[in-house]
Amino acid sequence: MTHFSHFTRAPAATRRPWGRAACAAALALLAPLAWAGGMDSLSDFVKQARSGKAGFTQVVTAPGKEGRPGSTKTQTGTFEFQRPGKFRFDYSKPFEQTIVADGQTLWLYDVDLNQVTARKQDQVLGSTPAAIIAAAPDLKALERDFNLTEEPDAQGQQWVKAVPKARDGQLQSIRLGFKTVGQSAELATLEIADSFGQRSVLTFNRVELNVGLPASRFQFKPPAGSDVLRN
């Protein structure tokens, strides 16, 4: 089962160790923004991107053991969000999984296990990538929960690093990469590092910002016969 602890504060126990990145976030969505520094682009994103959708590829690298390189796993899917506080990740490969935040409840659905986990949204978002995309209205709000620093250009992108001020979770840091597209900037990469030494890199494609999204995309009803766990 995909573990969404990078995107939210998820339970430590998991049946599939490969999902520790989740979602997340998913969550720093590549918006075309007025080009400036990475910090200015991040500021514009949280203020101007009210809704959006994109495809994503997520590569999770586990820490190596006994001098061997870490193994990797690739996941793909789609992502949608609408401020304030609503988002949806649909993982299509290698396992079908869905995460939906409806503004009150965070739903995690593992199709293979036919298992649903429901948690109160305000208890699990906190200082996570979800705050960047779905909750914070401006840079000052992000700075209450994260230490933000602009990093040197790399890989043709400008970078911002966000480190949670609350150090009681599994999330260690988030890096957001912006690239230039014409005269604008686009938030194209999200890197997540956790306390287990695992690294997740999300790259986004087919981005559409400030689009109309049906309310039904942020509603979830447990499928008939599914095992529902409420925390």
Side-chain angles (χ1 to χ4, degrees), residues 4-9 21-29 45-46 79 83 87 89 124-136 142 146 162 164 171-176 190-193 202:
F4 298 101
S5 61
H6 286 172
F7 185 49
T8 65
R9 287 182 181 142
C23 305
L27 285 109
L29 203 94
F45 172 73
V46 297
F79 170 65
R83 294 178 188 270
F87 55 87
F89 277 88
V124 296
L125 294 189
S127 301
T128 68
I132 297 174
I133 198 163
L142 281 178
F146 296 94
L171 181 67
Q172 291 293 299
S173 66
I174 308 163
R175 295 181 73 235
L176 305 101
L190 178 66
E191 296 184 1
I192 304 166
L202 289 95

Side-chain angles (χ1 to χ4, degrees), residues 40-110:
D40 290 328
S41 295
L42 174 60
S43 176
D44 287 345
F45 172 73
V46 297
K47 288 190 296 184
Q48 298 177 12
R50 309 312 303 170
S51 65
K53 60 182 180 178
F56 69 86
T57 298
Q58 176 177 321
V59 179
V60 182
T61 303
K65 296 181 179 180
E66 299 177 353
R68 299 182 220 170
S71 55
T72 63
K73 195 95 162 187
T74 301
Q75 298 169 290
T76 59
T78 59
F79 170 65
E80 299 163 85
F81 76 96
Q82 186 173 66
R83 294 178 188 270
K86 296 180 180 180
F87 55 87
R88 180 187 186 103
F89 277 88
D90 287 298
Y91 284 79
S92 57
K93 295 179 181 179
F95 305 106
E96 289 187 51
Q97 295 164 333
T98 299
I99 176 172
V100 177
D102 62 16
Q104 300 294 324
T105 302
L106 182 75
W107 302 91
L108 309 177
Y109 175 45
D110 188 301

